[in-house]
Amino acid sequence: DYDHEDWIIIYRINYYFDSTWEKRTYLKTRWADYVVWHRQEELPLYVQFLNTFRDKAQNGLTAQELDWAFDGFDARRRALFSQVLPDTVYFLASLNEAQITFYEKKVVKNAPNNKAEKSASEIQKRLEKRADKIIKNMEDWFGPLSDAQEHRVKILSFTLPDIKEDWANYRA
């Protein structure tokens, strides 16, 4: 729910960094500013983008239209990250040694959950699960996909690199 994302964000930050009350208060204040900005500036752009996307998708999407859609998504993501980056840098620079150690313990504690599977069948299952998740996310955004669209998305998702092992090594 859009009206409760502040609690979720603060909870997740605290989960990893064991934030002080002062930092949580700072984050809540800044997040409230982001929500106002997002509602006033970004949501109208989302509506415009999604309406245009719906119109383009009426008869299926061409490769160029898919590129346009991904570019539009990337533009909104860049706008969001550009907005929050200064406060993110400030927050990370203000962490003390205990909070950094707390974070490292959280990441290392969760590292076994990120170990890469080696067998072909496990990799295939993981890639199928990823494809299903992509389809579910697309349907959440755009509505039901036809069987042909789902098939095309699965084919495209299997062309994406499998980075599970790289991610596990990075996290280790």
Side-chain angles (χ1 to χ4, degrees):
D1 183 316
Y2 196 81
D3 293 324
H4 295 65
E5 83 291 338
D6 60 334
W7 180 86
I8 294 167
I9 297 294
I10 303 305
Y11 172 82
R12 293 305 295 167
I13 291 171
N14 193 54
Y15 173 83
Y16 282 106
F17 295 105
D18 193 28
S19 303
T20 63
W21 181 84
E22 293 83 10
K23 280 194 177 115
R24 284 192 301 271
T25 301
Y26 170 79
L27 291 169
K28 286 178 186 177
T29 302
R30 294 303 298 135
W31 195 259
D33 292 341
Y34 293 135
V35 169
V36 169
W37 165 80
H38 196 260
R39 282 187 171 150
Q40 291 176 351
E41 303 292 328
E42 290 297 297
L43 287 183
L45 296 173
Y46 289 7
V47 170
Q48 179 184 9
F49 171 77
L50 291 173
N51 285 335
T52 304
F53 183 85
R54 181 193 60 219
D55 295 342
K56 288 178 181 275
Q58 290 298 317
N59 297 317
L61 294 170
T62 65
Q64 292 82 10
E65 289 169 327
L66 279 174
D67 287 342
W68 169 86
F70 283 112
D71 289 345
F73 173 76
D74 285 343
R76 301 289 41 91
R77 186 182 60 203
R78 280 191 310 273
L80 176 64
F81 288 148
S82 295
Q83 192 72 18
V84 301
L85 186 60
D87 284 314
T88 302
V89 170
Y90 172 80
F91 174 81
L92 292 174
S94 72
L95 295 175
N96 61 39
E97 192 65 36
Q99 290 169 311
I100 293 169
T101 301
F102 186 86
Y103 171 77
E104 288 172 342
K105 286 180 182 175
K106 285 287 184 179
V107 172
V108 170
K109 178 182 100 175
N110 292 329
N113 298 331
N114 292 311
K115 288 194 176 163
E117 298 88 356
K118 299 289 185 189
S119 78
S121 65
E122 288 173 326
I123 292 170
Q124 182 68 25
K125 285 179 193 174
R126 184 173 66 245
L127 295 178
E128 288 173 4
K129 185 176 176 182
R130 179 178 71 181
D132 290 341
K133 185 175 181 178
I134 291 170
I135 289 169
K136 181 190 177 309
N137 288 339
M138 290 182 76
E139 289 181 328
D140 286 347
W141 274 79
F142 310 122
L145 300 178
S146 70
D147 290 343
Q149 289 170 322
E150 282 190 26
H151 179 70
R152 182 73 176 138
V153 169
K154 281 191 178 196
I155 289 171
L156 290 172
S157 75
F158 279 100
T159 66
L160 297 171
D162 180 22
I163 62 168
K164 179 75 173 187
E165 187 170 336
D166 292 332
W167 180 248
N169 291 335
Y170 172 76
R171 297 272 319 251

